[in-house]
């Protein structure tokens, strides 16, 4: 009897909380903070530092969106999600934005009803092997034992690749990157496979990174990007154009250092429009005119975020590669702001 | 015997022989060993085998434990200090001590708060565990403890726990006002009063009154999280367990079946699937926009889990009572609530206490499962942030051994208490 | 309660619903039902609203789609083109396998430890008490991780068996302990092995027949035939004889290092071994306590009576104490089996692909169908538990009949 009564009380409490339920943008503004889903910890993309502050490339996207909407890059509640919980967390409204190196795939977009707002990192799956193994190509991996992180598109790509090349392998499914690293180093698997960026980050954490080599084959396309729920286009626009603003800012040379100076007015109409000096693009989305300025000031433009978190001068040491601006031969191409 | 023979019969000894010392094999250590270790050939072989096992255990563990390094910044420095000798790298424990106990996100300047709450836990729980030793008045502190602990661990305005407490007080007042008329009226009236009180106080501005720094639930971790989950869920599940057990024994078929279905469902699935529900799907069943803390969702699920098991223990207690007790209650003209409250439950609960303690130990051990749903309890901290860090990658035994020892101390302590209590209760019955 | 008098006729007042014991139970049941239905309705409507808002639906169609992932231990035919349903089935079988292995091992360990805890040998008694306490008071998850760590971090990698001067060598040249698991020789069934199997089956029947005969002889004439050695002989000798007569139809395929791994033979995965032994040793400690309690529950007079009849200690144990103790031992034993099955879901911690790993793990992750997957997962465990409980009830009833 007590049980049912208490449950009843819970429902009453839940009713009070559930009164809201309008558009995400209004929710976020009313709440005064953005709930952003990130990984439980992948150095360079999203991981808490020694003081428990989240930092990383994906975290930068969250902070930029928070800055654009609320004007405050610290107004973010980071919700660590696993491969298992991330989609539920987004679909059920626990988080407003999922920035957790998630691959844009057809079924996730169409079947699971999510909206990918763009690509913030073009990745691909690779293989990490010890040099001592004497392997120089993924084609020589027949019969190998391979450590995979579960809950990613990785295991699907792996199955496809080995099937296509008519090779055998033994998968060792592992929950977290940390454990995969241990098993790989102990020799419980010959190969560790995940996204190339993740391999670089993992290798960087080894005692002797030089003893291990990433094989040249990249076996899949992994466009990673932030995503929101289907059906709330206004909110999708906000996230999409914040990301575009960061990319465009790099193209036009707007950095966190000169954004103040440039917002006083320039002779480039495009920059003026982005920074809200000319026209009021922000009002069309229901944001302040200075939304993009705040987003860029939060952590810098795309290039700055990249260099600070995963670039060549960090332990992860990724080169821009496909993630360079289209003007430099990369794939980043922000649509025009007009 | 009369002493006449002593004079008349010559061959009867008239004085005692002096005591002879027992044969060498029947005295002291040798006798003990013969009786206990080498009573037969098979036994001797067993003894030798056990000695062999013991020797291997000790010779493996002792140098490792004694030769341990307690001060080093990383596993590499540790290995350099050891220089190839056998030895544990216990420096990881000293360096990550706070993380192991409090998780990596609890603000370090306020570690004193959970520590104080932990110390007070003993003060609060002592009068409950040892009823005869401590004065009854100390139970008042035990009743206040949950609110004090909440205030210390989570922080925030002091008015939150105070109002929560006052709600219970209001409920109790209403209950004692009406219980004389009808138990049901008192009971439901009390609950209603408490909720009305909480609802009304929910509108008061309580921000910042005597506020401690707020710590969010998601920042809890380490062994503290295990202790929080264990104590909160066990104490919450006892009232639910009693209600479920009574419901299952009830004459009312609908209530009985509801309770049976609930208990059998919960007992039939592993805790981990319930944790998956808390972690993955519970959000779908709540109104859009509700944002329950993960720790709260987990507490709800573990409490449901524990109540089902405790209900079964209490049902055993109820069934063990002689039927005469029930009949005695009826013949005194007590109604159901009265006879339960005054006659049946006090006895049934007393019989069930050892069982409840066993369930609690099991539950406390099961709180480690939250590490599987990416919460950073003691095991989660070890498997996640600490073992994955570059500094301590590969220090398995020290960390896992530490976790095992910590759990062993707590659980062994509780089970010893349970056995002591069982003996106490047994003498009471004879 | 007894009926006091005839109910006062006719005048039904609303307050009687609460105050009259005849109607009150209906009121309470009605309230309880309404509350429970209300909660379900509320949760259901939330679910519907949430799903509608997210544009999702509940559908089990994904089970028929191709799973696209590989599983490292499959007892039935499976590849990445098979369906999610098939993957779930592989998981179910893996769960059953590890649960079965752990149940058998735990029973053996538990019975031995339980009997030894009552041994007259002080050292053995203390050692067993230490084992029981150490394993009962530490979470099973920690034991699983510890044993898995032994498997992966202490045992050598297959590459240690390589080269001119390998750092590790195979046991008897046939068994290799590596951190990827245990490599054992596998039997190769040649022609005639079917016949051999039949012979073996026949000898098992023969053993039972012999034991029946011996028992009958004992009851009829009081003559005691030896049991142990003849049984063993009947079990083994004919099979051994035919094995050589048929020209050794069953040969062994030895594992050998080739490429990255050992090839040939059978591999028992490290994750399986870790889970299996952790569950077995952990639950064995509980079973040991049950066995001890069961043996102690048989009153000492029984053993003394048997001794005064001139029975030897082993016979006292087998014929007098154990049969009576079993009645106390078996019910908790079965619930321990249930616990093993449920705890095997911790496979997820070591990457063993049981049902939680396939249906509740990769399938859930890949399809995002969380509600469906978890419902199916719960249904599976519930079915197993109910089946085992039903078994227990049957046993309890059978036992109760014999009681006076």
């Amino acid at each position: 009897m007590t049980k049912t009564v208490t449950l009843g009380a819970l429902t009453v409490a839940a009713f009070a909380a559930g009164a809201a339920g309008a558009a995400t943008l209004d929710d976020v503004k009313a709440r005064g903070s953005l709930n952003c889903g990130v990984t439980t910890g992948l150095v360079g993309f999203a991981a808490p530092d020694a003081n428990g502050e989240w930092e990383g490339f994906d975290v930068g996207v969250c902070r930029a969106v928070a800055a654009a909407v609320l004007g405050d890059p610290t107004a973010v509640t980071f919700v660590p999600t696993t491969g298992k919980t991330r989609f539920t967390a987004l679909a059920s409204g626990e988080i407003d934005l999922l920035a957790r190196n998630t691959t844009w795939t057809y079924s996730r977009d169409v079947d699971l009803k999510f909206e990918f707002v763009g690509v913030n990192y073009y990745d691909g799956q690779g293989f990490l092997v010890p040099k001592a193994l004497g392997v120089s190509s993924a084609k020589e991996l027949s019969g190998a034992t391979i450590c995979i992180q579960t809950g990613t598109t990785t295991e699907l790509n792996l199955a496809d690749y080995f099937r296509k090349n008519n090779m055998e392998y033994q998968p060792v499914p592992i929950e977290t990157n940390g454990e995969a690293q241990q098993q790989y180093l102990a020799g419980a698997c010959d190969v560790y496979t995940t996204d190339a960026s993740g391999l670089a980050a993992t290798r960087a954490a080894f005692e002797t990174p030089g003893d291990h080599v990433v094989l040249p084959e990249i076996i899949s396309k992994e466009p990673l990007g932030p995503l929101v729920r289907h059906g709330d286009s206004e909110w999708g626009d906000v996230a999409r154009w914040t990301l575009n603003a960061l990319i465009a800012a790099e193209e036009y040379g707007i950095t966190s250092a000169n954004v103040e100076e440039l917002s006083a007015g320039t002779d480039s109409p495009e920059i003026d429009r982005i920074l809200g000096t000319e026209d009021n693009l922000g009002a069309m989305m229901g944001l302040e005119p200075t939304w993009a300025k705040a987003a860029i000031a939060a952590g810098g433009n795309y290039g700055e975020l990249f260099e600070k978190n995963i670039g060549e001068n960090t332990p992860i040491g990724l080169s821009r590669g496909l993630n360079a601006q289209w003007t430099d031969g990369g794939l980043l191409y922000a649509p025009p702001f007009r | 015997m009369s002493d006449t023979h002593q004079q008349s019969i010559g061959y009867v000894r008239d004085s005692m022989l002096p005591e002879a010392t027992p044969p060498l094999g029947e005295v002291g250590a040798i006798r003990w060993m013969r009786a206990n270790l080498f009573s037969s050939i098979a036994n001797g072989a067993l003894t030798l085998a056990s000695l062999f096992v013991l020797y291997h255990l000790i010779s493996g563990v002792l140098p490792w434990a004694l030769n341990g390094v307690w001060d080093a910044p990383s596993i590499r420095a540790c290995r350099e200090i050891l220089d190839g000798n056998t030895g544990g790298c216990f420096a990881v424990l000293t360096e990550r001590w706070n993380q192991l106990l409090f998780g990596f996100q609890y603000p370090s300047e306020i570690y004193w708060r959970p520590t104080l709450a932990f110390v007070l836990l003993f003060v609060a729980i002592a009068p409950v565990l040892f009823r005869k030793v401590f004065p009854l008045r100390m139970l008042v502190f035990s009743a206040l403890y949950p609110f004090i602990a909440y205030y210390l661990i989570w922080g925030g305005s002091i008015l939150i726990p105070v109002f929560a407490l006052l709600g219970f007080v209001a409920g109790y007042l209403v209950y004692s006002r009406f219980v004389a008329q009808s138990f049901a009226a008192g009971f439901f009236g009390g609950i209603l009063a408490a909720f009305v009180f909480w609802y009304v106080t929910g509108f008061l501005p309580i921000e910042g009154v005597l506020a401690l720094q707020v710590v969010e639930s998601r920042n809890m971790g380490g062994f503290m999280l295990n202790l929080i989950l264990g104590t909160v869920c066990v104490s919450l599940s006892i009232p639910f367990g009693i209600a479920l057990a009574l419901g299952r024994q009830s004459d009312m078929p609908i209530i009985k079946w509801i309770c049976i279905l609930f208990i059998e469902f919960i007992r039939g699935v592993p805790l981990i699937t319930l944790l998956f529900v808390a972690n993955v799907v519970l959000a779908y069943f709540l109104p859009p926009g509700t944002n329950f803390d993960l720790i709260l969702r987990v507490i709800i699920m573990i409490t449901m889990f524990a109540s089902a098991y405790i209900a079964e223990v209490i049902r055993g207690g109820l069934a063990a009572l002689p039927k005469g007790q029930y009949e005695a209650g009826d013949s005194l003209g007590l109604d159901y609530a009265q006879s339960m409250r005054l006659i049946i439950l006090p006895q049934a609960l007393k019989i069930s206490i050892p069982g409840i303690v066993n369930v609690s130990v099991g539950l406390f051990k099961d709180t480690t499962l939250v590490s599987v749903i990416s919460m950073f309890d003691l095991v989660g901290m070890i498997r996640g942030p600490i073992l994955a860090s570059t500094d301590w990658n590969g220090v398995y035994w020290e960390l896992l051994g530490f976790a095992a020892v910590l759990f062993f101390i707590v659980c062994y302590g509780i089970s010893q208490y349970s056995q002591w209590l069982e003996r106490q209760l047994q003498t009471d019955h004879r | 309660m007894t009926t006091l008098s005839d109910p006062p006729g006719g005048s039904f007042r609303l307050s009687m619903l609460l105050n009259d014991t005849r109607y009150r139970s209906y009121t309470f049941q009605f309230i309880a039902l309404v509350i429970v239905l209300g909660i379900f309705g509320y949760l259901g409507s939330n679910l519907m609203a949430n799903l509608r808002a997210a544009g999702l639906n509940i559908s089990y169609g994904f089970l028929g789609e191709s799973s696209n992932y590989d599983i490292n231990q499959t007892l039935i035919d499976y590849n990445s083109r098979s369906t999610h349903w098939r993957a779930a089935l592989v998981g179910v079988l893996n769960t059953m396998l590890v649960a079965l292995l752990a149940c058998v091992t735990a029973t053996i360990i538990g019975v031995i430890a339980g009997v030894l805890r009552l041994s007259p040998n002080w050292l053995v008694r203390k050692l067993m008490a230490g084992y029981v306490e150490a394993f009962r008071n530490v979470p099973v998850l920690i034991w699983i991780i510890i044993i898995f760590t032994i498997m992966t971090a202490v045992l050598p990698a297959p590459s240690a068996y390589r080269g001119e001067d390998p750092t590790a060598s195979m046991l008897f040249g046939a068994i290799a302990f590596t951190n990827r698991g245990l490599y054992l020789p596998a039997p190769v069934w040649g022609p005639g092995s079917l016949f051999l199997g039949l012979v073996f089956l026949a000898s098992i029947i023969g053993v039972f027949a012999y034991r029946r005969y011996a028992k009958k002889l004992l009851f009829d004439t009081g003559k005691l035939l030896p049991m142990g050695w003849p049984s063993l002989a009947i079990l083994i000798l004919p099979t051994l004889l035919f094995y050589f007569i048929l020209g050794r139809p069953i040969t062994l395929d030895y594992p050998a290092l080739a490429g990255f791994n050992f090839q040939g033979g059978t591999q028992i995965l490290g994750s399986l071994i870790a889970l299996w032994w952790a569950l077995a040793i952990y639950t064995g400690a509980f079973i040991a306590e049950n066995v001890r309690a069961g043996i102690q529950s048989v009153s000492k007079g029984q053993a003394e009576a048997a001794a005064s009849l001139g029975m030897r200690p082993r016979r006292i144990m087998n014929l007098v104490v154990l049969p009576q103790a079993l009645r106390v031992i078996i019910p908790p034993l079965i619930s321990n089996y249930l616990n093993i099955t449920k705890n095997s879901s911790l496979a997820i911690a070591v990457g063993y692909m049981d049902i939680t790993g396939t249906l509740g793990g990769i399938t859930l992750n890949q399809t995002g169908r969380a509600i469906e997957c978890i419902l199916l997962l719960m249904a599976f465990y519930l079915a197993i538990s109910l089946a085992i409980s039903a078994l227990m009830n049957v046993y309890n009833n059978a036992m109760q009949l014999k009681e006076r």
Side-chain angles (χ1 to χ4, degrees):
Chain A
M1 194 71 76
T2 332
K3 162 138 216 80
T4 47
V5 168
T6 318
L7 277 177
L10 266 180
T11 50
V12 172
F15 261 128
T24 314
L25 182 56
D26 299 335
D27 282 354
V28 173
K29 281 182 177 169
R31 202 187 304 132
S33 87
L34 173 76
N35 291 334
C36 198
V38 290
T39 70
T40 46
L42 178 63
V43 177
F45 285 88
D49 66 5
N51 304 320
E53 285 289 318
W54 286 87
E55 57 181 28
F57 192 59
D58 284 333
V59 169
V61 174
C62 292
R63 293 203 189 281
V65 173
V69 177
L70 303 162
D72 178 7
T74 59
V76 189
T77 309
F78 290 100
V79 181
T81 56
T82 61
K84 192 174 279 169
T85 60
R86 53 181 164 179
F87 297 126
T88 333
L90 184 59
S92 66
E94 194 182 337
I95 54 179
D96 307 310
L97 176 73
L98 179 65
R100 186 199 181 276
N101 42 18
T102 304
T103 308
W104 187 349
T105 67
Y106 176 86
S107 67
R108 284 172 181 176
D109 199 331
V110 176
D111 187 33
L112 294 181
K113 314 276 190 225
F114 294 122
E115 191 170 337
F116 284 81
V117 299
V119 175
N120 67 348
Y121 191 87
Y122 289 94
D123 211 337
Q125 183 176 342
F127 297 100
L128 181 67
V129 295
K131 270 195 182 141
L133 215 54
V135 172
S136 60
S137 157
K139 293 269 186 344
E140 298 165 24
L141 288 179
S142 187
T145 302
I146 302 183
C147 281
I148 338 164
Q149 234 184 304
T150 60
T152 55
T153 44
T154 318
E155 47 211 336
L156 309 189
N157 298 327
L158 191 68
D160 285 353
Y161 181 78
F162 275 77
R163 195 182 170 80
K164 197 171 67 194
N165 289 302
N166 219 351
M167 300 194 292
E168 300 259 301
Y169 71 108
Q170 186 175 56
V172 178
I174 290 158
E175 198 80 344
T176 65
N177 194 48
E179 279 165 56
Q181 192 178 318
Q182 281 169 39
Q183 298 232 357
Y184 171 74
L185 287 178
C189 42
D190 303 304
V191 188
Y192 179 39
T193 179
T194 185
D195 293 346
S197 61
L199 289 183
T202 308
R203 196 175 78 123
F206 288 172
E207 212 173 318
T208 49
D211 290 352
H212 304 269
V213 55
V214 176
L215 296 180
E217 281 90 349
I218 296 293
I219 63 167
S220 70
K221 291 184 289 184
E222 306 282 341
L224 310 179
L227 56 157
V228 297
R229 282 180 293 278
H230 245 293
D232 189 352
S233 305
E234 284 76 20
W235 176 243
D237 289 343
V238 169
R240 175 176 302 114
W241 285 96
T242 307
L243 181 61
N244 283 337
L246 295 181
I247 295 172
E250 188 189 13
E251 187 184 345
Y252 299 126
I254 312 172
T255 65
S256 55
N258 66 9
V259 65
E260 274 308 321
E261 185 191 328
L262 292 177
S263 63
T266 60
D267 38 4
S268 157
E270 182 101 14
I271 294 179
D272 286 353
R273 274 197 297 274
I274 293 176
L275 295 181
T277 324
E278 201 182 300
D279 295 351
N280 188 352
L281 295 182
M284 297 180 197
M285 293 198 295
L287 297 179
E288 298 290 316
T290 55
W291 64 279
K293 180 184 153 193
I296 296 164
N301 62 32
Y302 182 90
E304 287 177 84
L305 283 176
F306 195 101
E307 288 311 322
K308 191 166 66 193
N309 294 305
I310 50 178
E312 276 170 339
N313 298 322
T314 62
I316 295 160
L318 293 170
S319 64
R320 288 294 288 266
L322 289 175
N323 296 293
Q325 291 287 336
W326 62 285
T327 47
D328 301 335
L331 292 175
L332 293 182
Y333 187 103
F337 278 74
R338 54 172 75 246
Chain B
M1 288 271 161
S2 68
D3 46 359
T4 45
H5 291 292
Q6 277 184 2
Q7 284 102 35
S8 56
I9 307 172
Y11 52 82
V12 172
R13 187 185 287 280
D14 58 357
S15 63
M16 292 283 279
L17 269 181
E19 272 182 19
T21 50
L24 213 57
E26 289 295 325
V27 69
I30 298 178
R31 188 194 111 82
W32 184 86
M33 277 172 67
R34 270 184 67 168
N36 286 307
L37 298 180
F38 298 101
S39 59
S40 67
I41 296 174
N43 245 327
L46 266 180
T47 306
L48 290 182
S50 312
L51 282 175
F52 181 72
V53 170
L54 265 183
Y55 169 75
H56 265 267
L57 271 179
I58 292 174
S59 66
V61 171
L62 217 56
W64 175 78
L66 292 181
N67 197 21
V69 175
W70 290 90
D71 186 24
S74 76
I75 185 170
R76 282 176 287 285
C78 202
R79 282 181 186 150
E80 261 169 43
I81 295 172
L82 283 172
D83 198 24
N85 294 323
T86 322
C89 195
F90 300 106
V92 66
L93 302 182
T94 46
E95 216 219 27
R96 299 293 177 113
W97 179 252
N98 286 328
Q99 286 198 352
L100 287 168
L101 292 191
F102 301 103
F104 65 101
Q105 281 171 316
Y106 203 89
S108 54
E109 62 277 10
I110 51 172
Y111 281 152
W112 64 269
R113 276 164 41 184
T115 313
L116 180 64
F118 180 63
V119 172
L120 287 180
L121 175 66
F122 287 100
V123 182
I125 213 167
V128 182
L129 295 186
F130 304 100
R131 296 284 276 283
K132 290 173 189 155
V133 185
F134 293 93
L136 215 56
R137 222 172 308 139
M138 276 182 72
L139 281 174
V140 177
F141 180 76
S142 309
L144 290 179
Y145 177 75
F147 307 99
I148 298 173
Y150 173 84
Y151 181 57
L152 281 175
I153 294 175
W154 274 271
S157 161
I158 197 171
L159 287 183
I160 298 172
V162 166
F163 280 148
L165 176 63
L166 288 180
F168 279 107
V169 173
Y172 179 73
L173 289 179
V174 172
Y175 167 78
S176 51
R177 165 83 179 70
F178 286 105
V179 74
Q181 292 175 14
S182 143
F183 177 78
F187 187 68
F188 293 113
I191 289 173
L192 195 69
F195 276 104
V196 167
F197 184 84
W198 289 328
Y199 187 73
V200 170
T201 51
F203 292 106
L204 295 178
I206 52 169
E207 298 284 315
V209 182
L210 274 179
L212 290 176
Q213 182 187 345
V214 178
V215 184
E216 292 207 26
S217 309
R218 73 173 89 248
N219 295 340
M220 313 272 159
F223 196 57
M224 178 179 74
L225 183 61
N226 293 112
L227 280 174
I228 291 177
L229 287 177
T231 42
V232 169
C233 296
V234 166
S235 26
L236 284 181
S237 60
I238 288 174
F240 290 128
I242 294 175
L244 282 170
L246 289 180
R248 194 169 180 170
Q249 297 286 72
S250 159
D251 300 330
M252 300 183 248
I254 295 181
I255 289 183
K256 185 176 170 181
W257 276 103
I258 291 172
C259 292
I260 289 181
L261 284 180
F262 179 84
I263 292 174
E264 292 304 325
F265 173 73
I266 296 284
R267 278 159 41 93
V269 298
L271 178 57
I272 198 141
T273 58
L274 291 177
L275 291 178
F276 282 161
V277 168
N279 193 19
V280 181
V281 298
L282 198 61
Y284 281 117
F285 291 95
L286 300 173
T290 334
N291 201 351
F292 258 133
D293 237 2
L294 180 57
I295 198 173
L296 188 61
R297 285 181 274 166
V298 165
I299 285 178
I300 292 176
M301 281 300 166
I302 299 186
T303 305
M304 278 168 60
F305 183 75
S307 352
Y309 282 84
I310 286 185
E312 283 301 277
V313 171
I314 293 175
R315 186 169 76 114
L318 288 173
L321 276 194
K323 220 175 163 207
Q325 296 291 334
Y326 293 86
E327 287 162 356
D330 286 346
S331 69
L332 283 175
L334 301 179
D335 65 17
Y336 176 77
Q338 282 168 329
S339 73
M340 281 298 147
R341 196 156 44 94
L342 301 173
I343 297 184
I344 306 298
L345 276 182
Q347 301 184 68
L349 286 182
K350 199 169 157 190
I351 311 177
S352 331
I353 287 176
I356 294 179
V357 174
N358 282 343
V359 171
S360 312
V361 172
L363 188 79
F364 180 62
K365 287 188 292 176
D366 280 348
T367 57
T368 51
L369 300 201
V370 297
S371 67
V372 175
I373 56 164
S374 70
M375 283 172 86
F376 294 107
D377 75 322
L378 182 60
V379 176
M381 281 307 295
I382 291 174
R383 295 178 72 202
I386 297 181
L387 272 184
S389 71
T390 333
D391 286 347
W392 297 112
N393 197 337
V395 198
Y396 315 104
W397 305 118
E398 293 80 357
L399 288 166
L400 290 173
F402 173 72
V405 167
L406 212 52
F407 272 96
F408 180 81
I409 290 171
V410 176
C411 296
Y412 187 70
I414 303 177
S415 67
Q416 286 301 305
Y417 166 76
S418 149
Q419 283 172 18
W420 172 82
L421 196 70
E422 225 165 322
R423 284 196 295 275
Q424 290 267 310
L425 293 178
Q426 257 173 14
T427 49
D428 282 356
H429 277 294
R430 274 175 196 166
Chain C
M1 302 255 169
T2 50
T3 44
L4 297 172
S5 59
D6 288 337
S11 63
F12 176 78
R13 277 162 288 115
L14 212 57
S15 66
M16 276 166 67
L17 277 180
L18 203 60
N19 293 332
D20 193 315
T21 44
R22 282 168 303 162
Y23 302 116
R24 190 159 58 185
S25 73
Y26 293 111
T27 324
F28 279 159
Q29 295 190 55
F30 181 72
I31 294 175
L33 194 65
V34 165
I35 290 177
V36 169
L37 288 181
I39 289 170
F40 272 101
Y42 176 71
L43 294 179
S45 74
N46 280 334
L47 177 66
M48 287 302 141
N50 279 321
L51 290 181
R52 208 179 316 115
L56 294 171
N57 57 345
I58 298 273
S59 141
Y60 287 91
F62 70 94
L63 286 174
E65 289 162 16
S66 129
S67 66
N68 285 329
Y69 62 88
D70 286 302
I71 298 177
N72 50 15
Q73 177 187 301
T74 52
L75 298 179
I76 50 174
D77 240 10
Y78 172 87
N79 61 43
S80 60
R81 285 287 169 275
S82 310
T83 58
H84 281 296
W85 177 248
R86 189 104 181 144
L89 217 57
V90 170
V92 167
L93 290 176
N94 285 348
T95 297
M96 303 269 209
L97 175 71
V98 74
L100 195 72
L101 288 173
C103 284
V104 172
T105 320
T107 313
I108 297 172
I109 295 176
V111 169
I112 292 177
V115 172
L116 285 186
R117 269 206 84 172
L118 296 172
S119 137
N121 190 320
W122 180 86
L123 191 64
V124 170
R125 219 158 56 215
K126 290 293 163 199
L127 213 58
M128 285 303 137
Y131 154 70
V132 168
E133 293 299 345
F135 276 84
R136 282 204 318 165
N137 289 311
V138 173
V140 61
L141 182 60
I142 293 184
W143 285 122
I144 292 178
I145 298 173
I146 285 181
I147 296 187
F148 188 57
T149 310
I150 295 177
M151 289 302 303
T152 56
V154 177
L155 293 181
S159 56
Y161 291 84
R162 202 190 312 265
E164 289 296 301
D165 185 24
T167 46
S169 60
M170 289 166 81
L171 197 63
F172 309 125
I175 304 169
F177 293 91
T178 75
N179 57 6
R180 292 173 194 177
L182 186 60
Y183 290 88
L184 297 170
V188 180
W189 308 101
S193 46
L194 182 72
F195 184 70
L196 203 63
L198 288 177
V199 169
F200 187 66
L201 207 67
S203 14
I204 292 177
I205 297 169
V207 169
F208 278 103
Y210 172 75
R211 303 207 124 194
R212 252 184 103 109
Y213 168 72
K215 207 166 173 183
K216 191 169 176 304
L217 202 68
L218 177 68
F219 285 1
D220 289 350
T221 66
K223 221 173 117 186
L224 207 56
L225 285 183
M227 285 281 204
W229 294 115
S231 303
L232 207 64
I234 295 176
L235 192 68
I236 292 178
L237 285 181
T239 318
L240 211 59
L241 197 67
F242 273 96
Y243 177 72
F244 288 106
I245 290 177
L246 291 170
R248 305 187 183 191
I250 302 172
T251 49
L252 288 179
D253 174 23
Y254 291 97
L257 200 59
F260 295 102
N261 282 318
F262 281 89
Q263 304 288 337
T266 29
Q267 181 192 10
I268 305 177
L269 286 178
S271 50
L272 170 65
I273 297 177
L275 191 64
W276 163 17
W277 282 94
L279 288 176
I281 299 177
Y282 177 78
T283 317
F286 287 86
I287 294 179
E289 282 299 274
N290 293 337
V291 170
R292 182 175 74 121
I295 293 175
Q296 281 179 334
S297 77
V298 179
S299 84
K300 226 175 164 185
Q302 295 282 332
E304 284 163 359
S308 70
L309 286 177
M311 287 175 124
R312 271 175 280 145
R314 249 192 72 179
R315 277 187 188 285
I316 296 177
M317 196 56 156
N318 286 340
L319 298 176
V320 177
V321 178
L322 271 186
Q324 297 188 68
L326 275 184
R327 191 176 294 182
V328 180
I329 294 172
I330 287 191
L333 189 68
I334 294 179
S335 72
N336 273 322
Y337 290 164
L338 197 58
N339 282 340
I340 286 185
T341 315
K342 288 194 281 179
N343 281 338
S344 73
S345 58
L346 291 177
I348 199 159
V350 292
Y352 177 71
M353 282 287 117
D354 73 335
I355 177 88
T356 323
T358 57
L359 181 68
I362 304 183
T363 294
L364 192 160
N365 289 330
Q366 297 305 351
T367 59
R369 298 275 179 189
I371 301 176
E372 295 90 332
C373 287
I374 289 185
L375 276 182
L376 276 181
L377 193 62
M378 286 181 142
F380 165 71
Y381 281 111
L382 206 56
I384 285 214
S385 309
L386 290 181
I388 295 181
S389 319
L391 203 74
M392 181 145 81
N393 284 341
V394 168
Y395 174 82
N396 281 347
N397 288 340
M399 275 293 138
Q400 248 166 16
L401 283 178
K402 289 177 197 160
E403 250 171 18
R404 270 153 298 169

